[in-house]
Amino acid sequence: MDMAFDALSDASDEALLVLYGNGDPAAARSLTLRMGPLAFRVAMRMLGDRAEAEDLAQEAMLRLWKIAPEWRQGEAKVSTWLYRVVTNLATDRLRRRRGVGLDDAPEVADGAASAVERMIDADRAAALQLALDQLPARQRQAVILRHLEGLANPEIAAAMEIGVEAVESLTARGKRALAALLEGRREELGYGHD
Amino acid sequence: MVMTDEKAKGLALDDFFAAARSDLPEPSGVFLARVLEDAEAVQAGFAAVPTAPPRAGLFARFADLVGGWPALGGMVTATLAGAWIGFVGVDRIDTISGAYFASAETLGTVNLLPDGDLLALAAE
């Protein structure tokens, strides 16, 4: 089993998916370990809730398994396809959550203010997540893919099925909104005015 | 002044992004196990899908067309018999059939619908 996994570790995502579709059990394991964390990570960034993110990521991965035999090679990257499915599923869920307005958004943990001087990355990451949770879904999607997943704009455009200019616009608006949301917390987050 | 503020905000935002990238949400083992379980279940379904049987060869398809191997056997026998009759000639067949049916008539003289009967049929 280990040998099979090692042998597949250099295989491309697409090659693994084809192998999976052909019934290779090692490919199922490799793809799970490679794509499962990606799906979960993006779902978590989009939804901000672990249980819901795992549920959504499992649903996205199930769609990947089912489409494997029909996968048309060379048309799209597997990761781009998965980004699209995860973010679309997350967007649908966010739209169903519409009742949650800005005033209902959770506050940063109470202990954060008392630990201003020792703010660490985890706290900033948590603060960013709380700010992301307040962005409109499409802006959130674009910002996550660009700045947290590190995708280039054309790939984001493919994942979101929009043009590159629209991606740039969504990212810019998202960042402005994030900056505004975090601005009020600058001192609290270790960014006092110098 | 505005530009300076914007720049400061941008720099701060990059720090937040960097912090978030270094603090990746990790999936639980239970989640990965569930995903793998789905993968294996779906993959088992691929194997269960009936696949087209291997295409039979031309000869086997011909055998099926004429009614299978028994029919093919009959055809071969008839063909060989015809070839043998052609080879040995009708006279020898007469001799053999005469021996079988103990009849004075040979195949060459058998008349299944004599002329008189044909006229009688035409008259009706």
Side-chain angles (χ1 to χ4, degrees):
Chain A
M1 182 185 293
D2 289 341
M3 284 187 67
F5 175 70
D6 289 340
L8 293 175
S9 61
D10 292 334
S12 69
D13 298 340
E14 190 170 57
L16 280 178
L17 194 59
V18 172
L19 284 172
Y20 169 78
N22 289 336
D24 187 331
R29 288 191 292 275
S30 292
L31 275 174
T32 297
L33 293 174
R34 197 180 289 189
M35 294 295 158
L38 180 153
F40 168 74
R41 189 170 68 234
V42 177
M44 183 67 191
R45 303 282 199 207
M46 287 290 292
L47 300 173
D49 179 89
R50 172 169 280 273
E52 204 174 356
E54 287 192 342
D55 185 43
L56 185 146
Q58 186 179 2
E59 165 68 20
M61 289 298 291
L62 185 60
R63 293 187 184 198
L64 180 66
W65 305 137
K66 287 180 177 174
I67 204 175
E70 300 155 29
W71 186 264
R72 286 185 286 189
Q73 295 185 56
E75 285 199 5
K77 287 172 69 177
V78 177
S79 58
T80 304
W81 182 92
L82 193 56
Y83 279 126
R84 181 189 308 155
V85 172
V86 171
T87 52
N88 283 348
L89 286 172
T91 301
D92 288 345
R93 290 199 186 206
L94 291 170
R95 284 177 180 151
R96 288 201 295 271
R97 274 191 201 167
R98 267 177 186 162
V100 181
L102 291 184
D103 292 341
D104 301 321
E107 295 295 330
V108 170
D110 291 342
S114 62
V116 171
E117 295 81 11
R118 295 189 296 121
M119 180 63 72
I120 57 173
D121 278 355
D123 296 317
R124 287 180 182 166
L128 178 67
Q129 183 63 55
L130 287 170
L132 279 171
D133 291 347
Q134 297 177 55
L135 289 189
R138 296 293 272 176
Q139 290 181 25
R140 188 184 316 189
Q141 193 174 348
V143 169
I144 288 170
L145 294 180
R146 178 73 187 90
H147 294 284
L148 301 184
E149 291 299 310
L151 302 191
N153 284 346
E155 193 174 0
I156 299 171
M160 295 182 69
E161 298 177 286
I162 56 177
V164 172
E165 285 184 5
V167 171
E168 290 168 351
S169 169
L170 283 170
T171 309
R173 278 153 50 204
K175 285 177 71 175
R176 277 199 300 273
L178 281 178
L181 287 163
L182 292 166
E183 179 62 18
R185 307 171 56 84
R186 286 177 69 88
E187 290 191 20
E188 182 184 336
L189 295 170
Y191 287 95
H193 293 287
D194 294 326
Chain B
M1 185 64 184
V2 171
M3 286 296 290
T4 307
D5 285 347
E6 286 298 321
K7 189 178 176 186
K9 287 177 190 175
L11 287 174
L13 211 47
D14 285 343
D15 288 348
F16 282 95
F17 290 141
R21 284 195 298 270
S22 66
D23 185 39
L24 294 177
E26 294 291 340
S28 68
V30 173
F31 162 74
L32 289 176
R34 275 182 4 221
V35 170
L36 182 57
E37 195 176 317
D38 284 348
E40 290 170 344
V42 172
Q43 199 175 41
F46 299 156
V49 172
T51 54
R55 197 174 173 80
L58 190 62
F59 189 72
R61 283 158 59 200
F62 174 71
D64 287 342
L65 191 68
V66 298
W69 288 105
L72 200 62
M75 286 179 66
V76 169
T77 304
T79 305
L80 290 174
W84 182 70
I85 290 168
F87 179 72
V88 301
V90 174
D91 291 346
R92 298 277 298 276
I93 299 297
D94 290 346
T95 306
I96 293 168
S97 60
Y100 269 111
F101 300 112
S103 166
E105 289 188 321
T106 66
L107 286 177
T109 60
V110 168
N111 189 346
L112 297 176
L113 195 59
D115 293 343
D117 290 347
L118 192 61
L119 289 171
L121 280 172
E124 285 179 0

